[in-house]
Amino acid sequence: MASKDVATDVAGNVWKVLVKPGQEVNEDDTLIIMEAMKMEIPVVAPGAGRVVEILVEEGEAVGEGEVVVRLDA
């Protein structure tokens, strides 16, 4: 299986991590909810796969384009 990095589209804080390692996800499933400019912004799976690694924690500040989740697709 090929590994796929999932990155944020915006800078902000990780508000909620909705998945855990080993979990199967489908395309467009919400993995993480970011908080930026008082808005909730979902980070979604680009395709179906299994969560291999979560690289952030709730409350952590992340930059635009930062990889937050790694999937096996």
Side-chain angles (χ1 to χ4, degrees), residues 18-25 29-31 49-52 71:
L18 301 174
V19 294
K20 51 187 154 185
Q23 183 174 336
E24 296 289 328
V25 296
D29 281 356
T30 301
L31 308 174
R50 183 178 55 82
V51 177
V52 175
L71 299 176

Side-chain angles (χ1 to χ4, degrees), residues 34-66:
M34 300 284 299
E35 186 277 320
M37 299 175 285
K38 299 189 183 194
M39 295 173 44
E40 293 178 11
I41 301 163
V43 177
V44 300
R50 183 178 55 82
V51 177
V52 175
E53 187 176 12
I54 299 167
L55 303 170
V56 294
E57 295 181 5
E58 291 180 5
E60 186 175 336
V62 296
E64 182 178 345
E66 188 171 330

Side-chain angles (χ1 to χ4, degrees), residues 6-13 34 36-37 43 61-68:
V6 182
T8 62
D9 290 332
V10 297
N13 291 315
M34 300 284 299
M37 299 175 285
V43 177
V62 296
E64 182 178 345
E66 188 171 330
V67 175
V68 292

